[in-house]
Amino acid sequence: MAEVNGQPGSAPRGPYIAVITNRTTNMVIRGVMLFSVGVFLALVLNLLQVQRNVTLFPPDVIASIFSSAWWVPPCCGTASAMIGLLYPCIDSCLGEPHKFKREWSSVMRCVAVFVGINHASAKVDFANNVQLSLTLAALSIGLWWTFDRSRSGFGLGVGIAFLATLATQLLVYHGVFQYTSPDFLYIRSWLPCIFFAGVITMGNIGRQLALYECKVVQEKPHQD
């Protein structure tokens, strides 16, 4: 039998198949991790909204100690996984690897700022909704400028925030849940800012996980 790479009987495509398998496995692992982070953040942040009576769910759909509808955390987890996997893919397709503040300490600070923005939307009292919306918009853009600064990140953030806002409007319109004192087409006017900040945050986590994976793959041949 033919000898390939010093191993008798190995098929010529063996190394290639191994690489593809590893990439697929690593992507699944990253997706599961991103899903878990999204579920955790959804539970914590939704708890803030419910305690402040910003979001109201019908009594029959409240099914957990976190006072959240059962479908909210899985939906947020799925969206987080998709966003976190999409960002590094877009960077690769554009040929613009994101290298700005690529360390875990920066990612953790980004998550902390995102939670702070959500906390402000639920806990801080403003004179009116316009002032609140403008403040959260400035904070969200500041989060992007501080931890991202990429055009692709900003574009994806705006696009996904628009789609998420539209989906939320449809859910509220059909009575799945509601917002107290809606001021913008059944919802709160600051909601797109929260979505934008969330997209930037999950995109940063996804990029960092992908960067860590690349470092491990590059170091493995040297160890062998």
Side-chain angles (χ1 to χ4, degrees):
M1 300 181 67
E3 181 176 340
V4 180
N5 294 332
Q7 296 181 357
S10 298
R13 295 188 302 167
Y16 175 78
I17 294 176
V19 170
I20 295 299
T21 302
N22 290 335
R23 287 179 178 175
T24 303
T25 303
N26 291 334
M27 182 171 292
V28 171
I29 294 174
R30 280 192 285 133
V32 171
M33 296 176 66
L34 289 164
F35 178 86
S36 301
V37 172
V39 168
F40 175 76
L41 289 177
L43 291 172
V44 173
L45 299 178
N46 191 66
L47 176 61
L48 294 176
Q49 302 287 341
V50 172
Q51 285 182 339
R52 188 65 173 177
N53 291 326
V54 175
T55 307
L56 297 177
F57 291 96
D60 57 336
V61 302
I62 296 179
S64 74
I65 60 175
F66 294 98
S67 298
S68 172
W70 66 268
W71 48 267
V72 172
C75 289
C76 292
T78 302
S80 299
M82 294 176 63
I83 293 169
L85 294 175
L86 180 62
Y87 261 67
C89 290
I90 294 297
D91 292 339
S92 178
C93 292
L94 295 177
E96 299 177 356
H98 190 262
K99 298 180 180 179
F100 181 71
K101 291 189 176 180
R102 292 292 86 208
E103 61 272 346
W104 279 111
S105 60
S106 176
V107 174
M108 292 300 102
R109 288 194 297 270
C110 182
V111 173
V113 173
F114 172 57
V115 174
I117 292 175
N118 276 269
H119 184 77
S121 70
K123 296 290 185 180
V124 180
D125 294 322
F126 287 82
N128 52 62
N129 287 326
V130 174
Q131 183 180 359
L132 173 59
S133 299
L134 292 177
T135 301
L136 293 181
L139 290 174
S140 300
I141 294 176
L143 181 143
W144 166 78
W145 180 257
T146 304
F147 300 104
D148 192 313
R149 296 191 186 182
S150 66
R151 291 175 296 177
S152 60
F154 186 85
L156 282 173
V158 172
I160 296 175
F162 173 78
L163 294 176
T165 302
L166 181 61
T168 303
Q169 288 175 328
L170 292 175
L171 291 175
V172 174
Y173 177 77
H174 289 288
V176 177
F177 67 98
Q178 62 181 346
Y179 285 91
T180 56
S181 304
D183 61 315
F184 178 69
L185 298 177
Y186 308 109
I187 63 173
R188 302 297 292 268
S189 56
W190 44 259
L191 190 61
C193 305
I194 300 298
F195 284 142
F196 177 82
V199 171
I200 298 300
T201 301
M202 295 310 305
N204 267 327
I205 296 175
R207 281 168 165 166
Q208 190 64 28
L209 289 174
L211 179 63
Y212 177 77
E213 175 189 321
C214 290
K215 288 182 177 180
V216 172
V217 171
Q218 292 175 357
E219 292 174 357
K220 188 174 180 180
H222 297 291
Q223 294 176 353
D224 295 340

